[in-house]
Amino acid sequence: GSGLNFNVVAKKLRELNLSFTEKADDNGTFFAGITKEKIAAELIKQGLELKSKQIELSEPIKKEGEFTIEVNVGVGIKSQLKIKTIKAK
């Protein structure tokens, strides 16, 4: 592991605001939703090595909006992550 303290990771997650822009149909539903894997890949770019299974998202986000997602950082340590989804013009 990277030896990062779970509490540090939890704090960093709460400070992050990730944005995803997706193409949508006429009803505003995204063709390819925002999956746990997509979120995890974005977190890795931010220097937070988390696995997609640590992200509590039962199904992909398919709508525009702002969401707060629970993340299991470590044993007994949870955090939240704010995500904004934007419909591509």
Side-chain angles (χ1 to χ4, degrees):
S2 54
L4 261 184
N5 186 316
F6 288 146
N7 289 316
V8 173
V9 173
K11 183 171 177 289
K12 283 190 171 162
L13 281 170
R14 280 196 276 278
E15 291 168 355
L16 274 182
N17 280 298
L18 297 184
S19 284
F20 295 89
T21 303
E22 292 291 321
K23 292 192 167 63
D25 65 17
D26 296 338
N27 301 319
T29 304
F30 299 147
F31 294 120
I34 313 295
T35 59
K36 294 197 274 200
E37 288 72 23
K38 217 174 234 189
I39 295 166
E42 195 57 43
L43 289 173
I44 287 170
K45 283 185 202 161
Q46 305 280 342
L48 293 168
E49 298 276 339
L50 290 167
K51 306 244 183 322
S52 59
K53 65 174 185 245
Q54 291 173 269
I55 299 164
E56 296 199 2
L57 188 64
S58 51
E59 52 192 31
I61 298 171
K62 292 265 187 169
K63 289 278 183 196
E64 189 171 47
E66 295 189 16
F67 305 87
T68 301
I69 293 165
E70 296 276 322
V71 181
N72 284 312
V73 180
V75 182
I77 298 176
K78 287 197 179 226
S79 187
Q80 279 90 31
L81 173 63
K82 287 191 198 67
I83 289 180
K84 186 176 186 185
T85 59
I86 302 154
K87 196 168 70 176
K89 295 285 181 280

